[in-house]
Amino acid sequence: VKDLLQLRINGQDHEIAVPSHYTLLETLRYGVGLTGSKQGCDKGDCGACTVWLEGLPTLACITPVFEALGREVRTVEGLAGFRTAPGVPHPLQDAFDVCGAAQCGFCTPGILMSAAALLESNPSASRQEIKEALSGNLCRCTGYTKIIDAVELAGRTLATHRSAPADPRAPDLP
Amino acid sequence: MSDASTPPPAPRKRESVIGTRQRKVDGLAKSTGRALYTDDISLPGMLHGKILRSPHPHAHILGIDTSAAEALPGVFGVVTGAEMPTPYGIIVWTPDEQALATERVRYIGDGVAAVAAADEETANQAVELIRVEYEILEPIFDPEEAIRRTDVQIHEPSRQGRNGNISKIVELEFGDLQAGFSDSAVVVNGEYFFEGTTHTPIEPHCAIGFWEEGGVPNGRLTVWSSTQVPHYLHRELARVLELDPAKVRVVQPPVGGGFGGKSEPFDLEFCVARLAIKTGRPVKILYTREEVFYAHRGRHPFHMSYRIGATAEGRLEAVEARTILDGGAYSSFGLVTTYYSGQLLTAPYHIPAYRFHSTRAFTNKPACGPKRGHGSVQPRFAFEVTLDRLAERLGVDPIELRRRNFMGERTRTVNELRVTSNGFLECLDAVERASGWKERHRNLPFGQGLGVAGSCYISGTNYPIYPNEMPQSAVQLQVDRSGRVAVFSGASDIGQGSDSLVAYIVCEELGVPLDYVRVLSSDTDFTPVDLGAYSSRVTFMLGNACVDAARKLARTVKAAVGEQWETDPERVLLADGFAMDAADTSRRIRIAEAFQLTEARFGTLGSVGSYNTPKDVHGEYRGATIGASPAYSFTAHVAEVEVDADTGFVEVRRIWIAHDCGRALNPAIVEGQMEGSAYMGFAEALMEEHIFKDEAHGRAGLHNAPSLLDYRIPTSLDTPELVSLIVESIDPEGPYGAKEAGEGPLHPSIPAIANAIYNAVGVRMDALPFSPPRVWAALQRKAMEGEERVAAD
């Protein structure tokens, strides 16, 4: 049995028919075709599926799609252009690239959504605050070091230029 | 001829891209969500597959009735092992697995049948409808019991009189062990247990099968898979499915983490292929997280005994090791693991006499295989802790003890492995300095401590998994008149950055900007063969292959431009997007123009390059080739811990990681590998246990905790501060001097933490993981017995 749902995702209205038992993650991935949000465990343990619901980081794999009705959903695909000109990567996305914060990249979309929410409220977050904000997102590649570096760098960028691209070489990162 | 007498490398040419921090070619695709992993791919009409798994750890299959599943609406096909019975195995000498079990299951989770249905729910329902009749057999879970017993046989003995529970025995001796021990002023013993751990990539395994019938492709199979070894998968798919390899294509999309856990074929790849052939529709299977735990192939549990003899000054005289490896149900890479458990211990220290005896046993648990630092992380833990005991006994500083035993560079190990560059002393210096070792070691208050450990690892295995003389790695370059260069690379980028590596090399050698390079990798229809992302082989082998291809192409371009300018081609520089005259760099043309000129002069531009290993880097004894590598990396760690003596809780505050990677082609990526490695070692030291229930705690053989909540891996809050200290020894044969960085830096984390715990509270942690109950118990025992060591559990 499918239901016809109205969802607002990344600032766009969608009308989608999906099985009524679908989670928000299944709806995004299989119903809308937004595959940026990942399924790592399907149990709310790993954080790879993290999206925003009304600006709050939310585990899409354990959120029934009905929870998202009438609420603003934002995914990694909607991060570019959110604080930047259309299509321009969010400073976090750029900083992840500059710092080498994405290795396999599978946890990256979820981590970006958790980190972006943190920087919305606190662009000058300390390393400890960043660690706390990311503690629900498992990364298996990086040891988190470069991720924390990237969030710090993006915070500085957001605080100063809001949208200026980071230096691609960035030789002296902390 | 490369030998210990190889002359030192020529002075370094100055590079402009190599050695600098660069973006990765796929960095933004990954951070914007555009990168398509296997499960992100959807094909028209695609079905969803599901595998039925054995609920018994050991049983005969008497019959499988799939009729009810086939009758379920929405089910398009069901497959059993009878349709693909050919045994396979990643090691060609030990093919003991089947795509789906036909006669016997050997662990809870062994696949027995698979279905393809319109959606996942129907597929789940359908597997429940398959009836399998089992005859339950007695399982064995303990490797020592498996070795002892002959009444229960997990595999058929390979020949009469053998025990089918024994996977592999390796016994090798080098030098005069007896003399070594009798000349020793001091002999130190240790018993150790390394618990099994698993890779836990965040991406579960996924595969899609696609079959084309009719027309020109007639009978062509494509499999997309989250594999680390597209080439080996290609071979095994063709063999098991009895297809012409020319009609099989394996595509590896971006992989969401491997760490060795995706480096052999798995049941899902055969099942999607067979089901696609059977149904005529594309079929996808995505493992659940539970299935990833059961697929395993992770770190073997090792029981280890070590005996080390040394002079009064602490110089090693003899080392003896006995090891039992718990292999689980199948061979996997086990033959190699058994060799590696001893062969890779013989550097960076000079060991005059060495014997090891390793036995790998089968047990009715998921098969163990290669996890980052394959087979050598466990003995390194045991050995480096034993060295710490030796230092303690002799009253020698543990870093100084390691220095005294340094083997040197351009030498051979006692087991005749050729060592070229060796920056181990610089690694020791770096961690000693950075950690403030001299001032702080033994001067910290009770509960705080520092520990050191060293290690060595291969930069690729010298021989492929199936014997052949062909190159281990290759790339092809194609050039467009716009100045754009395409790299066709067989290598598997699993996040370590191999696609970026080839792009950097092309930029360096051809002078094109990074955004003028496109990389197409790991598609067996279009890219040359590379053996895969395992054994830390990629930077060294792919890098050399790409340098080869790029320099050939550069020579052609320089020849054409030199001819045009009526100057020596050697004077033509390709850099910064231009071809220029080295003697007068204002004389220049854009690189696109240089390519056009070259194309007009010599015809269509392209180039191939390949790398094969030198064959004179090991001894002649049986097994000598296993552990042989064209180069070795070296690492030293110092770990700083704080131990709460009341609770046994260990906090690792910081790990200083010094790693000799030869040359850091992109320091950011090298640091990322060092940090990720140290993190993974830390995780094994303190948290991870891949264990199975016994009858007292549930169903025997059932995985204890197949979820990311219960199998605890570190979060950002758990992970210590990781300080990367790159050491560059410039290897004479590595690309620009580079060696590996992806696995070596894992090894010392665990013994460095164990040694730091001893330094902090005076208990020897000889069994992993160093969890609060274990540390607390050790502290209690010490308080009660007044002893300073705890035997392995």
Side-chain angles (χ1 to χ4, degrees), chain B residues 446-784:
Chain B
F446 179 82
Q448 292 178 31
L450 292 176
V452 67
S455 70
C456 126
Y457 200 63
I458 53 175
S459 290
T461 56
N462 225 63
Y463 292 86
I465 279 173
Y466 65 99
N468 74 77
E469 303 286 314
M470 292 175 280
Q472 286 228 22
S473 188
V475 299
Q476 297 176 340
L477 302 180
Q478 178 264 2
V479 177
D480 185 68
R481 293 172 186 178
S482 62
R484 191 273 294 131
V485 181
V487 188
F488 296 84
S489 161
S492 299
D493 196 324
I494 57 170
Q496 86 283 40
S498 57
D499 285 357
S500 298
L501 167 76
V502 290
Y504 303 150
I505 291 172
V506 163
C507 293
E508 186 64 55
E509 298 297 331
L510 293 171
V512 295
L514 192 54
D515 57 348
Y516 275 52
V517 185
R518 306 279 187 280
V519 182
L520 174 75
S521 62
S522 53
D523 177 332
T524 62
D525 260 9
F526 295 98
T527 58
V529 171
D530 175 277
L531 298 181
Y534 66 95
S535 84
S536 278
R537 53 181 296 287
V538 173
T539 293
F540 200 94
M541 300 192 186
L542 175 73
N544 273 323
C546 192
V547 167
D548 181 30
R551 288 194 179 153
K552 282 177 189 160
L553 188 57
R555 270 199 298 277
T556 312
V557 175
K558 288 174 181 182
V561 174
E563 195 177 284
Q564 177 82 3
W565 289 350
E566 296 178 348
T567 183
D568 180 1
E570 291 296 307
R571 266 177 50 180
V572 178
L573 273 183
L574 306 178
D576 299 330
F578 293 93
M580 55 186 107
D581 184 343
D584 171 16
T585 54
S586 67
R587 188 186 187 189
R588 55 173 62 190
I589 53 173
R590 299 188 68 80
I591 199 75
E593 206 182 317
F595 287 162
Q596 290 164 19
L597 199 114
T598 314
E599 191 180 335
R601 174 68 183 82
F602 294 112
T604 299
L605 295 186
S607 173
V608 297
S610 60
Y611 174 80
N612 211 343
T613 50
K615 302 304 180 202
D616 54 351
V617 299
H618 53 77
E620 292 299 323
Y621 58 93
R622 183 179 171 84
T625 59
I626 307 184
S629 173
Y632 296 86
S633 74
F634 298 92
T635 316
H637 287 190
V638 166
E640 179 175 352
V641 304
E642 183 161 350
V643 183
D644 183 336
D646 293 332
T647 62
F649 184 84
V650 176
E651 184 192 349
V652 179
R653 293 185 152 181
R654 215 170 272 110
I655 303 176
W656 291 271
I657 314 148
H659 179 68
D660 165 20
C661 66
R663 175 94 187 273
L665 302 182
N666 175 344
I669 292 182
V670 170
E671 288 166 3
Q673 289 298 315
M674 292 163 67
E675 289 152 9
S677 289
Y679 146 92
M680 201 169 263
F682 151 79
E684 297 187 55
L686 291 197
M687 296 168 76
E688 297 185 23
E689 284 182 289
H690 196 255
I691 54 174
F692 299 84
K693 293 188 192 299
D694 57 20
E695 276 168 25
H697 296 87
R699 198 137 54 85
L702 197 64
H703 196 293
N704 186 58
S707 80
L708 291 176
L709 189 63
D710 299 312
Y711 180 88
R712 292 193 55 223
I713 67 173
T715 67
S716 48
L717 285 170
D718 300 315
T719 305
E721 186 185 337
L722 304 167
V723 184
S724 295
L725 306 159
I726 292 174
V727 170
E728 296 188 317
S729 61
I730 312 299
D731 190 77
E733 295 174 25
Y736 310 97
K739 302 186 285 190
E740 74 91 34
E743 301 187 76
L746 190 153
H747 293 69
S749 307
I750 301 155
I753 291 169
N755 294 339
I757 293 172
Y758 180 77
N759 185 241
V761 291
V763 296
R764 284 285 174 206
M765 295 310 300
D766 294 340
L768 285 163
F770 317 140
S771 55
R774 281 222 170 100
V775 176
W776 186 82
L779 284 161
Q780 294 301 303
R781 245 170 294 172
K782 185 194 171 205
M784 280 178 358

Side-chain angles (χ1 to χ4, degrees), chain B residues 194-197 296-302 325-328 330-334 337-338 360-361 367-371 374-375 378:
Chain B
F194 198 111
E195 185 57 272
T197 65
H296 189 43
R297 316 287 156 147
R299 187 95 67 218
H300 288 65
F302 273 25
L325 296 75
D326 184 350
Y330 294 102
S331 286
S332 178
F333 281 83
T337 321
T338 315
R360 184 180 190 266
C368 298
K371 183 181 166 192
H374 183 190
Q378 303 97 321

Side-chain angles (χ1 to χ4, degrees), chain B residues 81-111:
Chain B
E83 294 175 47
M84 34 185 182
T86 308
Y88 69 91
I90 184 71
I91 302 295
V92 291
W93 295 279
T94 56
D96 59 6
E97 299 188 57
Q98 289 176 300
L100 294 167
T102 55
E103 285 161 16
R104 201 190 322 194
V105 289
R106 295 183 172 87
Y107 69 96
I108 293 179
D110 225 348

Side-chain angles (χ1 to χ4, degrees), chain B residues 392-465:
Chain B
E392 175 83 11
R393 180 89 73 86
L394 296 172
V396 178
D397 177 272
I399 291 182
E400 175 55 25
L401 181 93
R402 286 168 171 82
R403 276 199 192 101
R404 280 181 197 173
N405 284 290
F406 177 57
M407 72 189 312
E409 59 179 350
R410 297 196 288 128
T411 181
R412 290 213 179 224
T413 64
V414 70
N415 54 345
E416 300 179 59
L417 304 174
R418 183 199 66 165
V419 173
T420 50
S421 58
N422 187 342
F424 182 61
L425 282 186
E426 289 79 2
C427 292
L428 285 175
D429 292 347
V431 292
E432 183 181 57
R433 206 166 38 240
S435 66
W437 176 274
K438 280 181 182 156
E439 305 76 46
R440 299 170 71 220
H441 184 241
R442 296 185 197 203
N443 291 326
L444 293 169
F446 179 82
Q448 292 178 31
L450 292 176
V452 67
S455 70
C456 126
Y457 200 63
I458 53 175
S459 290
T461 56
N462 225 63
Y463 292 86
I465 279 173

